[in-house]
């Protein structure tokens, strides 16, 4: 049965009327309320009136009056009286004492035709306008969040303008906050700026406040609703909700009926509809004005016919059309069909899709609905197109009532709107595919190149084809610079290519993704050529081979060979070769003409490598027979007689000999003690000047071994292939024949590159620099060390980068331009005239870090007779070394000694320094410490005197405690009241003037606040709590009112006063127990005696009597009433003892008396159970029908076992149809199922067989 339309109930039984008073007289306004004890407020032009000599306010029971003495022209304004939610407006008209022409004040509001108050919406609008015109509202300060002032609710008339303002404190913000305006939940108004909406913002540098405004221009009815303002910074967020009410423009002039009949479309189509909205509302306004003219006392509220039609059932349409004068009901119903807002309950879906889903890219997602019909077919749509089965991308499942769509390997293409369609019903959702962060799996490597060389930075990311951003020294490299930089993608690898590098390309290059950053350094050096091996002077014999060889650092460098300043032209005898870094000039069959100065000049470099080729002439003298042996060497007798050979090169020494008969040649290598190491002749004995000769009989054959001797008729050749360090020493050649012997010592010196130095040591590590130290190599290769080359690399990298091109002469070097927080290693090369040594072992890994900056905002928080409390903030720059703690020190005034205030480091940003001497003047300083050392000191400039500061006691009462604190029974009460005062004040709590019971109420006091705690509130905890602060003869006191409320008791003395027609009149009295709170109203319910199902007739009803209408003829009704306060409805209700019988109208028919027929009947099944075979895992049901009077009790059995307590089974009974639902049956659920019906007349049972098959 439809509920009756509820009428607005006013709290006033008598309302004040508009009065006309002569200037200087007294005006009296009287009002009566329905109840006594109701608080009444009087307003003048929207501002509350306070009692004074001019305004006298009196209250006696339910009668209230306002007296205005000595009325003047300024009192000619609009007044209002407010009681609860009821408000009545009236006017005071002041006329001059003399009957002269009345002058209307500028801006005066004309009086309405009658004393009736206008509609509530109009009242609210006028009040707001009057309030804003008379007084400037106090700016709302927001102690919590970012807002200084939040936007407030607003009201505007159609066609008017309104501005909402939000203010944000900018004092603690590093940059301007971001502000967004929304309508409803999701509509961002930033994209709607135009003719009807403007957004403004400004910043006041004096107050450091940002002001954001949203201006609505020429408002219309669609602008009404809820709005939201969101403000966000880097680490904070806040929002504020507010509402906009748009009122209809007031109607002026006569009602134009024809203007209301306008078509909603421009064309002349016969099917076009009429718009009756304006007609209905104008007609309603017209009727209200007519009622005011007749002087009716009851105010009539605006009626929204569309809302009435939307809520009414179709059977009531004609009645509503007649009541409100609707002439074209069919046209209105067509429009109503389109604007209906209430969504019908779905009959096809038990559970619909969620509004939105989110899934990571590459993962799978399941969309699931539950349908009412287990056998229903569903369709899945993506962006309106049906999804077809294709491979393993989409998987469709049907499990019982559930329908599941699984999307595998989600990609950005799956980010779309999805629908599930069952018959004519649809369920919508949106799927958002979230891309996982792209990680850098292989970082960039540091590089060092020469000017003009190609540079290629390479990194590897976690996803193919990912988008990355390249930067140089913090500046992004864009596609506009493709003439300089080239970007390349190859699968997961990303490349930055610089074809021809210049000095300006040096710097730090960064590659960024949304999940990581990698930095590498590029150093571009000018081209410099190093000579690893220079050409050496040669002395060769006729027809021998002469080879000049040099090695330079750049294998791409070409050069020319000069002979006495002229370029050498290669031919069959002279060969020029260039292999890698080695350049060779080979001269075969040397002749005397080849003796000259030879030079090698690298192209493009100012180098000239020179050497001399000396031709050795062999002179043969004819001697007579029996000539003693003779060794003919030019170097004999010269100093030094040393032959120098580079390690790895070939040494060939031609020794001309003579003697007759031909002498025997013996080569020996002696150590410093002239020991014989090798010999060629087995019969050799130690020479005369050899003290300890080694008698090793190893023979050196002419063609055997790396070190060998070749014998010829007139000379012998000593050869060392690939000279090594062990080959260095003194070689002795001995000639013997019968005539005599000759000998000569030749010193061979093998020079090589130095040994690698030991691992360098790292010291003096800073933010981006360090000092590297090392020791010379143990062996310098026989040549003095010319300098050192230093290289570094990141610990996790494999690429070493050279730090210097000019040789380092010193044993220390300061390395710079490193990245803080990155772990590095160093190594050293030693260089002599032969070349560069192998690298030294890597140094211990180290990390460039720097000390933090000094702490900030170092201030004194509190001082007592023996302690000082200090606080500070962390340093602005901490760096990669982190922060280990702080060192706090103090120094007495006049002294230079700083004393630690705390033992060791402290990690906190506050400190309490204890055990100080009263009266001392101390300076304090604080330093931050990390791995790199101590920061600079932050110091308090003025000395701090250790002495208690007397501070007057004062409470800082929170705003919510300045009014009555209302709590429900059973809730926890925790009141925190901060205060100030030094020394520590004495705190006293009283309740209603009595000391508190410590067992019932907990009190905790600290230096800065006092807390009252009640674990479980009871009604007796209500009262006034006073807390007092006492310091010597100074004190401060505050009072807190606590009201504990509970649900009220039921109303009393409910009476059914009268029954007539379709109506019943009820009366009752307020409940005896109001729960310690004002009774807000009553809820009246009715129930038909046949069904005893209760329906709400009135809720929040304020009177203690009511009339229940629209009762059904012939039925009997019971009524019950709940009382309501802030806690809610009462636990029990007051119920009428006797039912109200709604008798039928007309002649009262007196039925004959018949003997009551006995309708009792034993249970009998009218529809049997049917044997079923089902698939395991899908819910199934067994159904049958039974009849019987009285209603039989139903029992279900499986294999004679009662199923009543088994949660697997659900049993339903509706209108005699019995259903047993088996949830997800298994093969074990198969068997004989029995249904048994029992009543007092008998019983009946029926059974069936259920087979459960396993799924195929």
């Amino acid at each position: 049965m439809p509920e009756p339309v509820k009428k607005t109930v006013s709290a006033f039984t008598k309302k004040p009327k508009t009065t006309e008073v002569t200037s200087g007289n007294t005006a009296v306004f009287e009002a009566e309320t329905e109840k006594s004890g109701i608080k009444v407020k009087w307003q003048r032009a929207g501002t509350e009136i306070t009692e004074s000599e001019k305004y006298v306010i009196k209250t006696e029971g339910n009668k209230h009056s306002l007296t205005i003495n000595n009325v003047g022209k300024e009192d000619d304004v609009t007044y209002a009286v407010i009681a609860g939610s009821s408000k009545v407006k009236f006017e005071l008209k002041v006329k001059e004492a003399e009957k002269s022409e009345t002058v209307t004040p500028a801006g005066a509001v004309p009086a309405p035709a009658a004393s009736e108050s206008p509609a509530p919406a109009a009242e609210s609008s006028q009040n707001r306008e009057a309030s804003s015109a008379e007084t400037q509202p106090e700016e709302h300060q927001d102690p919590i969040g970012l807002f200084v002032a939040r936007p407030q609710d607003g009201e505007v008339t159609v066609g008017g303008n309104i501005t909402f303002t939000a203010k944000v404190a900018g004092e603690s913000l590093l940059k301007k906050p971001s502000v967004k305006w929304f309508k409803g939940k999701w509509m961002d108004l930033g994209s709607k700026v135009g003719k009807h909406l403007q957004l403004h913002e400004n910043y006041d540098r004096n107050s450091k406040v940002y002001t954001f405004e949203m201006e609505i221009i020429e408002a219309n009815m669609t602008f009404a609703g809820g709005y939201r303002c969101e403000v966000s910074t880097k680490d904070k967020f806040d929002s504020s909700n507010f509402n906009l009410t748009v009122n209809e423009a007031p109607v002026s002039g006569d009602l134009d009926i024809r203007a209301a009949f306008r078509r909603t479309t421009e064309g002349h189509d016969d099917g076009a509809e009429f718009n009756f909205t304006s007609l209905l509302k104008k007609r309603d306004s017209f009727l209200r004005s007519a009622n005011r003219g007749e002087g009716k006392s009851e105010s009539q509220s605006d009626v929204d016919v569309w809302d009435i039609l939307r809520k009414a059932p179709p059977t009531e349409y004609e009645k509503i059309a007649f009541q409100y004068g609707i002439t074209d009901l069919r046209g209105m119903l067509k429009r109503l069909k389109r604007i209906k807002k209430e969504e019908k309950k779905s009959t096809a879906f038990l559970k619909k899709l969620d509004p939105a889903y989110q899934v990571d890219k590459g993962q799978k997602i399941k969309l699931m609905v539950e349908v009412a019909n287990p056998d229903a077919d569903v369709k899945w749509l993506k962006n309106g197109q049906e999804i077809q089965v294709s491979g393993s991308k989409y998987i469709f499942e049907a499990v019982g009532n559930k329908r599941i769509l699984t999307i595998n390997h989600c990609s950005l293409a799956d980010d779309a709107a999805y629908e599930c369609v069952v018959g004519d019903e649809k369920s919508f959702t949106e799927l958002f595919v979230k891309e996982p962060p792209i990680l850098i799996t292989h970082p960039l490597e540091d590089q060092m190149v020469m000017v003009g060389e190609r540079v290629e930075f390479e990194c590897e990311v976690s996803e193919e084809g990912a988008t990355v951003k390249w930067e140089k020294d913090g500046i992004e490299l864009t596609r506009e610079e493709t003439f300089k930089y080239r970007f390349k993608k190859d699968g997961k690898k990303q490349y930055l290519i610089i074809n021809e590098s210049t000095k300006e390309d040096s710097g730090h290059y960064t590659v960024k993704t949304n999940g990581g950053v990698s930095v590498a350094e590029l150093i571009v050096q000018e081209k410099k050529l190093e000579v690893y091996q220079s050409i050496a002077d040669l002395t060769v014999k006729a027809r021998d081979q002469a080879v000049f060889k040099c090695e330079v650092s750049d294998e791409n460098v070409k050069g020319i060979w000069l002979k006495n300043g002229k370029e050498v032209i290669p031919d069959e005898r002279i060969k020029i070769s260039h292999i890698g870094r080695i350049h060779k000039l080979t001269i075969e069959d040397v002749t005397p003409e080849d003796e000259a100065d030879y030079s090698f000049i690298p192209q493009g470099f100012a180098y000239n490598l020179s050497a001399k080729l000396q031709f050795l002439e062999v002179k043969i003298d004819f001697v007579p027979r029996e000539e003693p042996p003779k060794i003919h060497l030019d170097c004999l007798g010269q100093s030094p007689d040393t032959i120098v050979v580079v390690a790895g090169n070939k040494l060939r020494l031609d020794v001309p000999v003579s003697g007759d008969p031909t002498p025997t040649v013996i080569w020996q290598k002696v150590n410093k003690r002239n020991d014989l190491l090798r010999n060629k002749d087995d019969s050799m004995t130690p020479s005369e000047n050899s003290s300890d000769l080694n008698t090793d009989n190893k023979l050196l054959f002419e063609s055997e071994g790396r070190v060998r001797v070749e014998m010829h008729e007139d000379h012998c050749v000593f050869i060392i292939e690939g000279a090594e360090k062990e080959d260095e020493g003194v070689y002795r050649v001995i000639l013997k024949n019968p005539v005599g012997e000759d000998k000569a010592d030749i010193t061979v010196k093998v020079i090589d590159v130095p040994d690698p130095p030991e691992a360098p040591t790292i010291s003096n590590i800073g933010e981006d620099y360090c000092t590297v130290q090392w020791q010379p190599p143990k062996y310098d290769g026989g040549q003095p060390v010319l300098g050192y080359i230093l290289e570094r690399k990141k610990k996790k990298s494999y690429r070493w980068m050279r730090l210097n091109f000019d040789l380092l002469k010193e044993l220390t070097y300061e390395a710079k331009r490193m990245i803080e927080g990155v772990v590095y290693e160093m190594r050293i090369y030693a260089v002599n005239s032969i070349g560069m040594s192998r690298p030294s072992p890597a140094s211990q890994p180290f990390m460039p870090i720097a000390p933090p900056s000094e702490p900030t905002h170092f201030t004194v928080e509190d001082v007592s007779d023996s302690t000082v409390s200090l606080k500070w903030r962390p340093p602005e720059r901490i760096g990669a070394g982190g922060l280990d703690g702080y060192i706090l020190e103090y120094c007495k005034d006049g002294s230079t000694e700083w004393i630690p205030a705390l033992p060791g480091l402290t990690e906190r940003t506050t400190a309490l320094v204890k055990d100080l001497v009263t009266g001392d003047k101390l300076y304090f300083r604080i330093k931050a410490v990390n791995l790199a050392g101590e920061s600079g000191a932050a110091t308090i400039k003025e000395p701090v005197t250790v002495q208690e500061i007397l501070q007057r006691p004062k409470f800082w009462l929170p705003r919510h405690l300045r009014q009555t604190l209302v709590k429900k029974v059973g809730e926890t009460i925790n009141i925190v009241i901060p205060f100030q005062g030094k020394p520590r004040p004495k705190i006293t709590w009283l309740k209603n003037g009595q000391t508190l019971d410590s067992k019932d109420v907990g009190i905790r006091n600290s230096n800065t606040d006092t807390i009252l705690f009640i674990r479980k509130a009871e009604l007796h905890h209500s009262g006034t709590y006073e807390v007092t602060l006492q310091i010597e003869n100074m004190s401060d006191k505050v009072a807190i009112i606590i009201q504990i409320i509970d649900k009220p008791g039921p109303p009393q003395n409910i009476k059914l006063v009268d029954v007539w027609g379709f109506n019943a009149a009820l009366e009752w009295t307020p409940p005896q127990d109001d729960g310690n709170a004002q009774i807000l109203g009553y809820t009246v319910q009715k129930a038909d005696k046949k069904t005893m199902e209760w329906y709400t007739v009135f809720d929040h009803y304020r009177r203690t009597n009511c009339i229940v209408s629209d009762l059904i003829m012939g039925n009997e009704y019971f009524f019950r009433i709940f009382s309501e306060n802030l806690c809610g409805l009462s636990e029990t209700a007051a119920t009428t003892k006797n039912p109200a019988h709604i008798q039928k109208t007309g002649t009262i028919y007196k039925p004959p008396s018949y003997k009551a027929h006995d309708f009792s009947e034993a249970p009998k099944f009218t529809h049997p159970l049917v044997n079923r075979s089902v698939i395991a895992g899908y819910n199934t049901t067994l159904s049958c029908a039974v009849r019987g009077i009285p209603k039989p009790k139903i029992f279900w059995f499986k294999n004679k076992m009662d199923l009543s307590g088994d949660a697997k089974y659900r049993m339903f009974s509706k209108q005699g149809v019995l259903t047993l639902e088996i949830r997800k049956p298994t093969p074990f659920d198969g068997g004989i199922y029995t249904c048994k019906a029992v009543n007092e007349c008998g019983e009946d049972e029926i059974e069936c067989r259920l087979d459960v098959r396993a799924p195929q």
Side-chain angles (χ1 to χ4, degrees), residues 248-262 275-290 324-325 327:
E248 287 265 342
V251 180
S252 61
D254 297 330
L255 183 66
D256 187 3
I257 299 295
R258 292 174 299 171
F261 285 88
R262 60 182 184 274
N275 187 348
F276 290 91
T277 309
S278 59
L279 173 64
L280 292 172
K281 293 190 175 179
K282 288 179 180 178
R283 179 180 183 275
D284 186 60
S285 302
F286 182 81
L287 291 176
R288 284 203 307 272
S289 62
Y324 293 96
T327 57

Side-chain angles (χ1 to χ4, degrees), residues 1139-1202:
H1141 180 64
I1142 309 303
Q1143 296 188 0
K1144 297 182 179 179
T1145 58
T1147 305
I1148 299 176
Y1149 172 70
K1150 198 171 186 180
S1153 59
Y1154 296 101
K1155 184 178 180 181
H1157 179 69
D1158 186 8
F1159 290 97
S1160 299
E1161 180 183 5
K1164 181 179 179 182
F1165 285 94
T1166 59
H1167 190 281
L1169 289 172
V1170 180
N1171 294 336
R1172 293 198 64 183
S1173 177
V1174 299
I1175 298 175
Y1178 294 88
N1179 292 1
T1180 188
T1181 57
L1182 302 176
S1183 301
C1184 60
V1186 69
R1187 74 181 185 190
I1189 300 176
K1191 185 177 180 180
K1193 191 172 183 181
I1194 307 303
F1195 301 92
W1196 287 89
F1197 301 90
K1198 174 197 168 187
N1199 297 333
K1200 305 302 182 182
M1201 299 295 293
D1202 190 2

Side-chain angles (χ1 to χ4, degrees), residues 1049-1066:
Q1052 295 182 317
N1053 305 324
I1054 182 172
K1055 296 179 183 178
L1056 183 62
V1057 178
D1058 194 8
V1059 178
W1060 74 97
F1062 305 104
N1063 310 304
L1066 300 174

Side-chain angles (χ1 to χ4, degrees), residues 849-856 872-887 905-909 926-935:
I849 54 176
S853 60
E854 66 274 4
T856 59
W872 62 90
R873 291 185 183 176
E876 293 181 354
R877 185 185 60 79
I878 295 177
L883 187 63
D884 295 339
Y886 302 93
I887 296 177
L905 299 178
T906 178
E907 296 181 359
R908 299 185 176 183
T909 56
I926 185 80
K927 298 179 182 178
V929 181
N930 69 358
L931 293 173
E934 299 178 358
S935 70

Side-chain angles (χ1 to χ4, degrees), residues 566-611:
K566 295 182 179 181
E567 185 176 355
V568 176
I569 306 300
D571 54 21
E572 294 181 356
R573 194 171 62 86
I574 301 174
K575 309 290 185 185
I576 296 176
S577 64
H578 173 202
I579 302 174
R581 297 183 298 184
I582 297 175
H583 297 260
K584 280 185 181 181
L585 172 63
T586 305
I587 305 174
E588 303 286 352
D589 299 330
V590 176
T591 63
E593 290 77 14
D594 294 326
E595 186 175 43
D597 290 330
Y598 289 85
S599 302
F600 175 74
I601 300 177
Q603 290 183 358
F605 296 93
Y607 282 99
N608 187 353
L609 309 180
S610 300

Side-chain angles (χ1 to χ4, degrees), residues 44 54-55 68 70-77 79 92:
R44 176 186 183 275
K54 183 170 182 67
Y55 300 101
I68 304 175
N70 194 17
V71 173
K73 200 170 183 180
E74 66 278 3
D75 298 320
D76 193 339
V77 293
Y79 295 82
L92 172 61

